[in-house]
Amino acid sequence: MRVTASAAASPLAPAWLSVPEDPSRLDAKLWAEDVERGDDGVLRIDGVSVTELAQQYGTPLFVVSERDFRARARTFRDAFDNAFRELCDGVDVFYAGKSFLCTEVAHWVREEGLGLDTCSGGELAVALRAGIPGHRLGLHGNNKSAAEITRAIDAGLGRIVVDSLQEVALVGDLAVQRGRIANVMLRLTPGVHAHTHEFIATAHEDQKFGLSLAADVPADAPTDTASDTPAGRGPADGGGTSPAQRAVADALAHPGIELLGVHCHIGSQIFEPEGFELAAQRLLGFLAAVRDRHGVELPELDLGGGYGIAYTEADEPRPPAEIARAMAGVVGSTCRELGLAVPRISIEPGRAIVGPTTFTLYTAGTTKTVRVDAAASEQGQGAPATHPRRYVSVDGGMSDNARPVLYGADYSAVLASRPPEAAPVLSRVVGKHCESGDIVVRDAYLPEDTGAGDLLAVPGTGAYCWVLASNYNYLTRPPVVAVADGVARLIVRGETEDDLFRRDVQREPATDPGDARP
Ligand SMILES: *Cc1c(COP(=O)(O)O)cnc(C)c1O
């Protein structure tokens, strides 16, 4: 039996949130393609019901659709390949491993023909453990250790993305020591910062990553090891040499470096192509300046990741093909204007590949309803109106999804273990941590009888959730289950209480009561 929403929108709800007309309907853009609500009202993924999953693996539980992951990886690869085929014979797609990585997922990435970007020795270890060949791997980071760089050089990495002048020297010198040549791209800050729906173009980027394109930025002195390289500074540069140009000169001059090209990553959760387009224009302009100065056309350009996904009904991401076409148009026309051969393009999507493939399954526990003053503008002359907000506590929280606390990120939630029949009421899904900021879903309409024992599913938790998980309050970190062809299998096991003690250097247990006071 379905109940149509009779509930009016709560004045406490954000403007973008609507009362669901049919609470049992799933908003397709939020979910993996094989998630549906069965006739019994229970959520299923590729035929496997969430009640079975909860029984077998417990909650909280990350549930990833393998088919959906592979499909999104292929969609990015094909969309960009098609858009750029005529220009530069296609695009290399590097999955950004920091968004979610374990060896099984690294295998999926390899099997779908993508490369993989890492940003630490640990991520690199996972990729190598999965047998991804070094030439399909990248290493990022603004402060890589010598050990990380050495490992990357020894593994023959396809690209080490160098972030600073000091690192040009460090990577080059380490390569020489190892008797190898390091493949290097330079990370530049094109002065474009894109954030969600808008981008801001500024002269300087006030953040830690990358080499500035601005000529008036004082470059930090390179380390001593680099001071004898014939860097592109001095009179020939007219005093207006940017850190980016100096890095190019240093890299070209270093016998341990093969300079492939330049890289930028302008932000995250970006919906419109304009930010990518402007960044591409600026970096191509830089490549033309490098050609004019050094007589070399660098063969590669990486435009980073940041493609947005839907976390709530309010988000409307564009299909990758549409963004790819817009970017290809700008790359093609800019190269024509500059008389530049189109470099080989690469991109690094993370969130847009893995984010929507996964939902988190929680079990609800305690609930309460509070009454909250409406905003001042809502209040009439008489007593201020108050409105109910229902709190539903679940068995996880900020230890399995830190994004609401870190970024104020919004999510959605649905009742997953039975049909949502009671009237929808404005609810807040909260975790079990000792923090009042421990919010999982700030605003969602959930059936008013949602309570202890019900399963809730939060979609869009594939990226930057499990990888950011912590043991705060000594909670164990949840397992990850992959579903494919109607079968669920564990790809990362959950932690046990033993795991919580694994690194704790314990004394012998006390033999006396231990409460004797002097
Ligand atoms: C984080 C990051 C990405 C991936 O960003 P998404 O928003 O997940 O697509 C790609 N490249 C670099 C350099 C990054 O730091």
Side-chain angles (χ1 to χ4, degrees), residues 312-343:
T312 71
E313 62 179 78
D315 296 325
E316 294 291 349
R318 298 185 185 218
E322 204 178 298
I323 296 190
R325 275 196 300 273
M327 287 165 68
V330 167
V331 167
S333 62
T334 308
C335 285
R336 274 193 299 280
E337 281 161 30
L338 296 168
L340 205 61
V342 179

Coordinates of all heavy atoms in Angstrom, one line a residue, residues 312-343:
T312 N 22.3 14.9 -3.9 CA 20.9 15.1 -3.5 C 20.1 15.4 -4.8 O 20.7 15.6 -5.8 CB 20.7 16.3 -2.6 OG1 21.0 17.5 -3.3 CG2 21.7 16.3 -1.4
E313 N 18.8 15.5 -4.6 CA 17.9 15.8 -5.8 C 18.3 17.1 -6.4 O 18.0 17.4 -7.6 CB 16.5 15.8 -5.3 CG 16.2 16.9 -4.3 CD 14.7 17.0 -3.9 OE1 14.3 16.2 -3.1 OE2 14.0 17.9 -4.4
A314 N 19.0 18.0 -5.7 CA 19.3 19.3 -6.2 C 20.5 19.3 -7.2 O 20.6 20.3 -8.0 CB 19.6 20.3 -5.1
D315 N 21.3 18.3 -7.2 CA 22.5 18.3 -8.0 C 22.1 17.7 -9.4 O 21.5 16.7 -9.5 CB 23.6 17.4 -7.4 CG 24.1 18.0 -6.1 OD1 24.1 19.2 -6.0 OD2 24.4 17.2 -5.2
E316 N 22.6 18.4 -10.5 CA 22.3 17.9 -11.8 C 23.6 17.8 -12.6 O 24.0 18.7 -13.4 CB 21.4 18.9 -12.6 CG 20.0 19.0 -12.0 CD 19.1 17.7 -12.2 OE1 19.6 16.9 -13.0 OE2 18.1 17.6 -11.6
P317 N 24.4 16.8 -12.4 CA 25.6 16.7 -13.2 C 25.3 16.4 -14.7 O 24.3 15.9 -15.0 CB 26.3 15.4 -12.6 CG 25.2 14.7 -11.9 CD 24.1 15.6 -11.5
R318 N 26.3 16.9 -15.5 CA 26.1 16.7 -16.9 C 26.7 15.4 -17.3 O 27.7 15.0 -16.7 CB 26.8 17.8 -17.7 CG 26.2 19.2 -17.4 CD 26.9 20.1 -18.3 NE 26.5 21.5 -18.0 CZ 26.3 22.4 -19.0 NH1 26.5 22.1 -20.2 NH2 26.0 23.6 -18.6
P319 N 26.3 14.8 -18.4 CA 26.9 13.6 -18.9 C 28.3 13.8 -19.3 O 28.6 14.9 -19.8 CB 26.1 13.2 -20.1 CG 24.9 14.0 -20.1 CD 25.1 15.2 -19.2
P320 N 29.3 12.9 -19.0 CA 30.7 13.1 -19.3 C 30.9 13.4 -20.8 O 31.7 14.2 -21.1 CB 31.3 11.7 -19.0 CG 30.4 11.2 -17.9 CD 29.0 11.6 -18.2
A321 N 30.0 12.9 -21.7 CA 30.2 13.1 -23.1 C 30.1 14.6 -23.4 O 30.8 15.2 -24.3 CB 29.2 12.3 -23.9
E322 N 29.1 15.3 -22.7 CA 28.9 16.7 -22.9 C 30.1 17.5 -22.5 O 30.5 18.4 -23.2 CB 27.6 17.1 -22.1 CG 26.9 18.3 -22.6 CD 25.7 18.5 -21.8 OE1 24.8 17.6 -21.7 OE2 25.6 19.6 -21.1
I323 N 30.6 17.2 -21.3 CA 31.8 18.0 -20.9 C 33.0 17.7 -21.8 O 33.7 18.6 -22.1 CB 32.1 17.6 -19.4 CG1 30.9 18.0 -18.5 CG2 33.4 18.2 -18.9 CD1 31.1 17.9 -17.1
A324 N 33.1 16.4 -22.2 CA 34.3 16.1 -23.0 C 34.2 16.9 -24.3 O 35.2 17.4 -24.8 CB 34.2 14.6 -23.3
R325 N 33.0 17.0 -24.9 CA 32.9 17.7 -26.2 C 33.2 19.2 -26.0 O 33.9 19.8 -26.8 CB 31.4 17.6 -26.8 CG 31.2 16.3 -27.6 CD 29.9 16.4 -28.4 NE 28.8 16.6 -27.6 CZ 28.1 15.6 -27.0 NH1 28.4 14.3 -27.2 NH2 27.0 15.8 -26.3
A326 N 32.7 19.8 -24.9 CA 33.0 21.2 -24.7 C 34.5 21.4 -24.5 O 35.1 22.3 -25.1 CB 32.3 21.7 -23.4
M327 N 35.2 20.5 -23.8 CA 36.6 20.6 -23.6 C 37.4 20.4 -24.9 O 38.4 21.1 -25.1 CB 37.1 19.6 -22.5 CG 36.6 20.1 -21.1 SD 36.8 18.8 -19.8 CE 38.5 18.6 -19.7
A328 N 37.0 19.4 -25.6 CA 37.7 19.1 -26.9 C 37.6 20.3 -27.8 O 38.5 20.7 -28.5 CB 37.1 17.9 -27.6
G329 N 36.4 21.0 -27.8 CA 36.2 22.2 -28.7 C 37.2 23.3 -28.3 O 37.9 23.8 -29.2
V330 N 37.4 23.5 -27.0 CA 38.3 24.6 -26.6 C 39.7 24.2 -26.8 O 40.5 25.0 -27.3 CB 38.0 24.9 -25.1 CG1 39.1 25.7 -24.5 CG2 36.7 25.6 -25.0
V331 N 40.1 22.9 -26.6 CA 41.5 22.5 -26.8 C 41.8 22.6 -28.3 O 42.9 23.2 -28.6 CB 41.7 21.1 -26.3 CG1 43.0 20.5 -26.8 CG2 41.6 21.0 -24.8
G332 N 40.9 22.2 -29.1 CA 41.1 22.3 -30.6 C 41.3 23.7 -31.1 O 42.3 24.0 -31.7
S333 N 40.4 24.6 -30.7 CA 40.5 25.9 -31.2 C 41.7 26.7 -30.6 O 42.3 27.5 -31.3 CB 39.2 26.7 -30.9 OG 38.9 26.8 -29.5
T334 N 42.0 26.5 -29.3 CA 43.1 27.1 -28.7 C 44.4 26.7 -29.4 O 45.3 27.5 -29.7 CB 43.2 26.9 -27.2 OG1 41.9 27.1 -26.6 CG2 44.2 27.7 -26.5
C335 N 44.6 25.4 -29.7 CA 45.8 24.9 -30.3 C 45.9 25.5 -31.7 O 47.0 25.9 -32.1 CB 45.8 23.4 -30.4 SG 46.2 22.7 -28.8
R336 N 44.8 25.6 -32.4 CA 44.8 26.3 -33.8 C 45.3 27.7 -33.7 O 46.2 28.1 -34.4 CB 43.5 26.2 -34.4 CG 43.2 24.9 -35.2 CD 42.0 25.0 -36.1 NE 40.8 25.2 -35.4 CZ 40.1 24.3 -34.7 NH1 40.5 23.1 -34.7 NH2 38.9 24.6 -34.1
E337 N 44.7 28.4 -32.7 CA 45.1 29.8 -32.5 C 46.6 30.0 -32.2 O 47.3 30.9 -32.7 CB 44.4 30.5 -31.4 CG 42.9 30.9 -31.7 CD 42.1 31.1 -30.4 OE1 42.7 31.5 -29.4 OE2 40.9 30.9 -30.5
L338 N 47.1 29.1 -31.4 CA 48.5 29.2 -31.0 C 49.5 28.5 -31.9 O 50.7 28.5 -31.7 CB 48.7 28.5 -29.6 CG 47.9 29.2 -28.4 CD1 47.9 28.3 -27.2 CD2 48.5 30.6 -28.1
G339 N 48.9 27.8 -33.0 CA 49.8 27.1 -33.9 C 50.5 25.9 -33.2 O 51.7 25.6 -33.5
L340 N 49.8 25.3 -32.2 CA 50.4 24.3 -31.4 C 49.9 22.9 -31.8 O 48.7 22.8 -32.0 CB 50.0 24.6 -29.9 CG 50.9 24.1 -28.8 CD1 52.3 24.7 -28.8 CD2 50.2 24.5 -27.5
A341 N 50.7 21.9 -31.9 CA 50.2 20.6 -32.1 C 49.4 20.2 -30.9 O 49.8 20.5 -29.8 CB 51.4 19.6 -32.3
V342 N 48.3 19.5 -31.1 CA 47.4 19.2 -29.9 C 48.2 18.1 -29.0 O 48.6 17.1 -29.5 CB 46.1 18.6 -30.3 CG1 45.3 18.3 -29.1 CG2 45.3 19.6 -31.2
P343 N 48.5 18.5 -27.8 CA 49.2 17.5 -26.9 C 48.2 16.3 -26.6 O 47.0 16.4 -26.7 CB 49.5 18.3 -25.7 CG 48.5 19.4 -25.6 CD 48.1 19.7 -27.1

